[in-house]
Amino acid sequence: MGYFKQEFRGVFYVRDYEKAITFYRDVLGLEVPYSWDYAPDDRGTKFRVAGGMLEIIRREPEIPQGPGTIMIEAEDVNACYASVSRKPGVRVFQAPVDEPYGIRKFQLMDPDGNLVVIYTNLSELPPEK
């Protein structure tokens, strides 16, 4: 059908905006192309994530939101895990594991309980040194 040609964006509504921003910007190292701050309860930041965007918003959503899940492909999941898991306050949910469907992944929780899955396709994983 070809309707969707521009940006893809996932959105998390968060309770603690500063903790969420610190997690995605400082822990995961995501780039911030845009943010706004209209009021204490109307703030947001867009993060560039591979081919899309993740938007973190501090505002009451129109409908109740529950924890969500995002998956981010990394060039080297092992190196990413070694770096991210050492940072203060990181809540690792699952250490790196190979899955039968061809990925190696680890999982962590963001400050609002959203699941972040970071993975590499096993066929693209650099050999361990």
Side-chain angles (χ1 to χ4, degrees):
M1 303 230 330
Y3 295 118
F4 312 110
K5 297 199 180 258
Q6 299 300 317
E7 179 179 86
F8 172 80
R9 189 179 333 170
V11 177
F12 286 150
Y13 290 91
V14 298
R15 292 179 299 277
D16 190 325
Y17 182 76
E18 294 304 328
K19 279 186 180 177
I21 297 309
T22 297
F23 177 80
Y24 288 101
R25 182 191 61 217
D26 300 341
V27 172
L28 295 185
L30 301 180
E31 177 189 347
V32 177
Y34 179 77
S35 63
W36 71 92
D37 186 352
Y38 299 130
D41 283 336
D42 189 0
R43 304 167 72 190
T45 297
K46 285 172 64 173
F47 291 95
R48 192 174 321 283
V49 185
M53 295 284 189
L54 173 64
E55 192 163 349
I56 301 299
I57 298 176
R58 175 61 213 133
R59 179 186 318 140
E60 291 302 317
E62 292 82 13
I63 59 173
Q65 305 287 306
T69 301
I70 59 171
M71 293 183 71
I72 304 172
E73 185 175 6
E75 286 186 24
D76 183 341
V77 70
N78 295 322
C80 184
Y81 177 77
S83 173
V84 169
S85 64
R86 289 192 310 252
K87 295 185 179 178
V90 170
R91 294 186 300 165
V92 173
F93 180 73
Q94 179 185 49
V97 62
D98 294 345
E99 295 292 356
Y101 43 88
I103 68 170
R104 181 169 179 79
K105 70 177 184 183
F106 73 94
Q107 302 180 80
L108 50 142
M109 306 296 283
D110 80 2
D112 277 83
N114 296 299
L115 185 63
V116 178
V117 180
I118 299 178
Y119 73 96
T120 300
N121 290 306
L122 286 170
S123 62
E124 299 170 8
L125 195 60
E128 291 190 44
K129 297 175 183 173

